[in-house]
Amino acid sequence: MDNYQTICEIKSIVVMGNQLGRTVGMPTANFDSSQITVDLPKDGVYGSIVTLPNGEEKFGVTNIGTKPSVDESGAHNVETHILDFDGDLYGQELSVRIVKHIRDIKKFNSLEEVKAQVDIDKQWAKDMSL
């Protein structure tokens, strides 16, 4: 996983989100934006490499910015879906290396459209791991 150039590295404690990612097959680790001290890249969806608390590395999909399809507040979020991982990370620190821009933020008209795009984003990250 060292053959990817890092755009930025985020280290933060995982906090409780609204748990909507679970409804589209993409549970996420949500971060407290106030704890992030690095300059983030432009808002968008990124391929990432996550270092779990036990030191294991996994590929992921990270959303930086708003979530216009499910949250009209315009709040800025940072959240990562970790591929091939199922566990509780609340209160633990994760390191997320942002390595590749996948796409810009987009508003979808339904959760079904969100899920279809999520499936594409996850496949992109899986292909990145090959």
Side-chain angles (χ1 to χ4, degrees):
M1 292 190 193
D2 291 332
N3 56 338
Y4 291 95
Q5 184 174 355
T6 301
I7 297 169
C8 78
E9 184 172 4
I10 301 165
K11 290 184 180 184
S12 184
I13 302 295
V14 177
V15 297
M16 180 78 69
N18 57 17
Q19 300 187 336
L20 282 176
R22 297 169 190 251
T23 66
V24 293
M26 192 174 195
T28 60
N30 293 270
F31 303 105
D32 180 351
S33 295
S34 69
Q35 293 182 2
I36 297 173
T37 58
V38 298
D39 289 332
L40 295 172
K42 72 175 187 167
D43 288 358
V45 178
Y46 291 85
S48 55
I49 298 171
V50 180
T51 303
L52 298 172
N54 66 4
E56 183 180 6
E57 289 186 322
K58 299 275 191 180
F59 285 96
V61 177
T62 299
N63 184 80
I64 297 174
T66 61
K67 300 186 284 187
S69 303
V70 296
D71 180 2
E72 295 180 7
S73 73
H76 194 269
N77 300 280
V78 178
E79 60 184 343
T80 298
H81 171 70
I82 306 166
L83 297 178
D84 304 317
F85 178 79
D86 182 28
D88 182 353
L89 295 170
Y90 294 122
Q92 298 183 61
E93 183 178 73
L94 287 185
S95 172
V96 178
R97 288 177 38 217
I98 305 299
V99 297
K100 181 73 175 166
H101 182 260
I102 298 175
R103 64 177 175 84
D104 292 334
I105 300 289
K106 179 180 176 185
K107 180 173 173 60
F108 298 96
N109 295 317
S110 67
L111 277 179
E112 291 78 22
E113 287 183 15
V114 172
K115 180 165 179 14
Q117 183 62 57
V118 161
D119 290 343
I120 292 168
D121 296 343
K122 285 169 53 176
Q123 186 59 53
W124 190 96
K126 285 179 183 177
D127 292 346
M128 187 175 80
S129 68
L130 299 177

